[in-house]
Amino acid sequence: MKESKVVLTRKIQLLIHTEDPVVKRQTRETFWKWQRTCHRAANYIYTHQFIQEQIKDLFYFTDEVRVRLANIQKDKDGILTTSQLNTTYQLLSRHFKGEMPMSILGCLNKILVYSFSKERDRLWKGERSLRSFRRDIPIPIAAHDLRQIKLEGGGKFYTCQVFGHTFRLYFGRKGGDKRAIWEAALRGKYKLCTSSI
């Protein structure tokens, strides 16, 4: 019998952990800039995945042109120089490297390529249209990018760093089960997964 996975999702508020107004402003501006970049990147990912799928239906190629969305190193009829997942990652790297951490773009790419593959059949049947992402898209953060997690304030609150920016975790006035689940995850009872800001 296959073991089922239970995914627990909890919203935890992140507060910029500093009293310096300049640092607060810079942190906000950095994350807004990253969110705008995620917005552009997400639309690139979906557009390129869609185009790649359409290539094999371009009937006006000659019969000698056999098209497969596969890595040419693994399939002689393949047209890609790498995996389909890596094609959009390479595109993002070319356009956005240096604008934001590539770890964020890597997470975004994995999430959206997986999402596109689930929606592919409905797109071809005309049951849904190609997604267009809004400017308020969440910024995905890999679990390994949550660093220097510390219990501070005499055990009252946790802090962590995300790409060099320090945040205080706010679980709510009473904390509820959020804090207990967080602490259980830190002990290894649960696996921390990709989060979104």
Side-chain angles (χ1 to χ4, degrees):
M1 191 164 137
K2 196 172 183 180
E3 200 175 309
S4 65
K5 289 183 181 180
V6 175
V7 178
L8 299 173
T9 304
R10 297 293 184 266
K11 288 186 179 181
I12 299 170
Q13 190 173 0
L14 296 180
L15 306 170
I16 300 169
H17 190 61
T18 182
E19 296 302 319
D20 185 341
V22 174
V23 173
K24 280 187 180 183
R25 187 178 68 324
Q26 288 173 342
T27 301
R28 279 192 205 100
E29 286 173 0
T30 297
F31 278 84
W32 283 332
K33 181 180 148 209
W34 290 353
Q35 187 177 41
R36 288 190 298 273
T37 302
C38 281
H39 165 246
R40 290 172 47 216
N43 285 306
Y44 269 7
I45 292 165
Y46 250 64
T47 301
H48 279 266
Q49 289 292 318
F50 181 75
I51 290 168
Q52 287 176 13
E53 287 293 326
Q54 290 297 313
I55 286 175
K56 55 189 167 200
D57 291 332
L58 299 178
F59 63 88
Y60 41 79
F61 284 147
T62 63
D63 289 338
E64 292 83 36
V65 177
R66 291 177 297 194
V67 175
R68 281 201 198 146
L69 285 179
N71 187 338
I72 198 165
Q73 296 167 352
K74 296 180 180 176
D75 184 337
K76 66 181 177 63
D77 293 329
I79 61 169
L80 303 177
T81 57
T82 184
S83 70
Q84 197 168 354
L85 174 68
N86 198 33
T87 57
T88 42
Y89 180 80
Q90 295 295 328
L91 174 80
L92 298 178
S93 179
R94 182 176 294 170
H95 286 283
F96 302 115
K97 191 172 188 176
E99 283 189 38
M100 68 186 303
M102 286 306 295
S103 175
I104 293 174
L105 292 173
C107 286
L108 184 68
N109 189 48
K110 282 181 195 168
I111 292 166
L112 296 185
V113 169
Y114 175 73
S115 169
F116 180 85
S117 69
K118 282 176 45 179
E119 294 175 355
R120 180 185 300 132
D121 290 339
R122 294 182 63 214
L123 281 166
W124 301 160
K125 292 176 185 173
E127 294 173 359
R128 73 161 293 128
S129 60
L130 191 65
R131 282 188 195 220
S132 179
F133 296 92
R134 297 177 1 184
R135 286 196 169 109
D136 62 351
I137 186 171
I139 301 169
I141 305 293
H144 62 80
D145 290 323
L146 299 175
R147 300 195 175 161
Q148 297 184 20
I149 299 170
K150 298 176 186 171
L151 187 59
E152 294 191 28
K156 292 182 181 175
F157 60 88
Y158 282 91
T159 61
C160 72
Q161 283 200 0
V162 180
F163 301 108
H165 302 274
T166 305
F167 293 95
R168 178 178 169 181
L169 281 64
Y170 179 69
F171 300 102
R173 194 180 307 170
K174 302 211 184 221
D177 70 338
K178 294 178 188 177
R179 184 173 174 135
I181 290 170
W182 171 258
E183 290 173 341
L186 293 180
R187 290 192 307 270
K189 183 176 179 186
Y190 301 116
K191 179 185 173 191
L192 286 175
C193 299
T194 299
S195 302
S196 296
I197 296 178

